[in-house]
Amino acid sequence: MNTERQSPSLYSVAILSRGDAAALRDATPQNSRFVQVFEALAGLGIEARPAIYDESFAEEIREQLLAVDGVLVWVNPIQDGRSRAGLDALLREVAARDVWVSAHPDVILKMGTKEVLYHTRSMGWGSETALYQTAEAMRAELPARLATGPRVIKRNRGNGGQGVWKVERLPTSPMIRVLDATKDTPEELTLDAFLRRCAEYFENGSVIDQPFQPRLSEGVVRCYMAGDRCAGFGHHKVKALVDAPAARSEAGPRLYSSNADPRFQRLRRLMEDEWTPQLTSLLNIARGDLPIIWDADFMLGPVQADGRDSYVLGEINVSSVHPYPGEAPAEIARRVADRLQRKV
């Protein structure tokens, strides 16, 4: 790399997403779903190029990534039956050759999997969370936790509600009731039958067990972060894991707002001033290695003694955060420029 660079106008970045050969052939900044990010980067003089990844032409993309200064990655952990295993190996290789990668696969493993809920359970956003490394441990420990109330079971890596379940005991039956987050209707089955459904989750990971939050039907607040600064919010009422028909009927699309939204200023202060510094300290992540765009989903917890709401972390999304508030691309671009200038 040229260590004489002083201006971001000399930098280039690739914006990488998954696609097929046709997407690779036709990709332009103008037809990308990240067009606003391309425009924001161009406004700061940074050349951004689309990069389309698929395992079948990984070598071609490898050469493209080695020719830029940085890579911004938007690829889900599980998509169309494929994982990120090959891509993550490629990104580690590229990063080892002095190309800045956001988010780096090692950072995703620290903060972008469900295990972050266990490792940060002592923080202000935490809850009484368990981690199962094996199906045998889950079989031994889950019944006692179900005796305290409904639980939410989550596979370590997934997106779109895949591998997320609400589980609860039935008062007059040895069966349990389970609700798949991607389905509308719960079902009753034995604990053994449920454990068999979860068996595949342990093949390459663990399972997280959290208490179900009774206020889930009041909505989920998503706090979007660009590095260690809040870039906006999203709020919506959800259907996932909500049983009551009346509450499900109120579910709607996520509504976005800026980081100045007065409803969420306390959450913004907590994220910027307390929780993100605590997160990076607990997980040993350098501030400059925080993803350029990530988000944290919060459910409402118990009302505190002073009448204010508490917040319970439901997950952190890092791999492919999109869409996001309209203010986010400008913040992303500023963070990219800052990070590339500090890189040299």
Side-chain angles (χ1 to χ4, degrees), residues 293-313:
I293 184 69
W294 58 284
D295 68 58
D297 280 351
F298 292 99
M299 301 163 287
L300 294 176
V303 176
Q304 299 176 325
D306 61 5
R308 295 186 300 180
D309 288 322
S310 62
Y311 294 98
V312 178
L313 181 68

Side-chain angles (χ1 to χ4, degrees), residues 28-40:
T28 67
Q30 291 72 33
N31 65 20
S32 170
R33 62 186 175 130
F34 309 109
V35 60
Q36 292 177 314
V37 177
F38 280 101
E39 291 172 349

Side-chain angles (χ1 to χ4, degrees), residues 227-238:
D228 59 359
R229 298 290 96 184
C230 176
F233 297 97
H235 179 266
H236 73 308
K237 291 193 173 183
V238 299

Side-chain angles (χ1 to χ4, degrees), residues 25-274:
R25 181 185 63 248
D26 300 333
T28 67
Q30 291 72 33
N31 65 20
S32 170
R33 62 186 175 130
F34 309 109
V35 60
Q36 292 177 314
V37 177
F38 280 101
E39 291 172 349
L41 290 167
L44 295 183
I46 299 173
E47 179 189 0
R49 310 167 186 170
I52 305 300
Y53 173 81
D54 185 80
E55 288 79 359
S56 63
F57 44 78
E59 184 60 28
E60 182 177 345
I61 300 307
R62 174 181 175 274
E63 295 305 315
Q64 181 180 356
L65 300 186
L66 288 172
V68 296
D69 299 297
V71 184
L72 307 182
V73 185
W74 273 273
V75 177
N76 285 320
I78 300 173
Q79 186 171 327
D80 301 325
R82 292 169 292 181
S83 75
R84 283 183 46 137
L87 174 61
D88 286 347
L90 172 61
L91 293 173
R92 287 188 176 97
E93 177 192 356
V94 168
R97 297 182 62 174
D98 204 29
V99 177
W100 170 64
V101 174
S102 184
H104 192 286
D106 294 345
V107 174
I108 293 176
L109 288 177
K110 288 182 177 182
M111 63 180 288
T113 67
K114 303 301 189 298
E115 281 194 12
V116 73
L117 302 171
Y118 177 76
H119 295 307
T120 65
R121 66 193 184 282
S122 63
M123 288 175 46
W125 67 28
S127 60
E128 187 269 298
T129 302
L131 171 67
Y132 304 132
Q133 298 281 15
T134 65
E136 291 73 21
M138 185 172 170
R139 180 187 301 276
E141 299 174 30
L142 179 57
R145 293 193 172 94
L146 285 174
T148 68
R151 309 291 296 186
V152 177
I153 299 298
K154 302 177 179 182
R155 70 182 298 171
N156 190 38
R157 298 201 75 173
N159 52 278
Q162 299 175 80
V164 178
W165 305 79
K166 180 185 178 184
V167 185
E168 57 189 322
R169 290 177 58 182
L170 294 172
T172 59
S173 168
M175 308 283 275
I176 60 173
R177 178 183 288 116
V178 302
L179 177 58
D180 182 337
T182 66
K183 304 290 179 58
D184 293 335
T185 306
E187 55 185 313
E188 297 178 8
L189 69 168
T190 65
L191 178 62
D192 282 346
F194 177 63
L195 289 169
R196 285 194 292 272
R197 293 191 185 183
C198 298
E200 65 176 294
Y201 304 162
F202 294 100
E203 293 175 1
N204 296 297
S206 57
V207 166
I208 296 299
D209 175 352
Q210 284 187 297
F212 176 77
Q213 297 301 317
R215 299 180 68 189
L216 176 63
S217 61
E218 295 181 44
V220 172
V221 181
R222 176 167 287 185
C223 181
Y224 292 87
M225 301 291 290
D228 59 359
R229 298 290 96 184
C230 176
F233 297 97
H235 179 266
H236 73 308
K237 291 193 173 183
V238 299
K239 285 186 178 180
L241 304 186
V242 174
D243 290 307
R248 290 175 60 84
S249 69
E250 295 178 353
R254 183 177 291 113
L255 301 178
Y256 299 94
S257 57
S258 76
N259 59 11
D261 190 323
R263 296 174 296 170
F264 307 125
Q265 289 309 294
R266 178 168 167 265
L267 178 58
R268 177 184 179 181
R269 289 192 296 271
L270 286 169
M271 280 296 290
E272 292 185 344
D273 301 339
E274 296 183 29

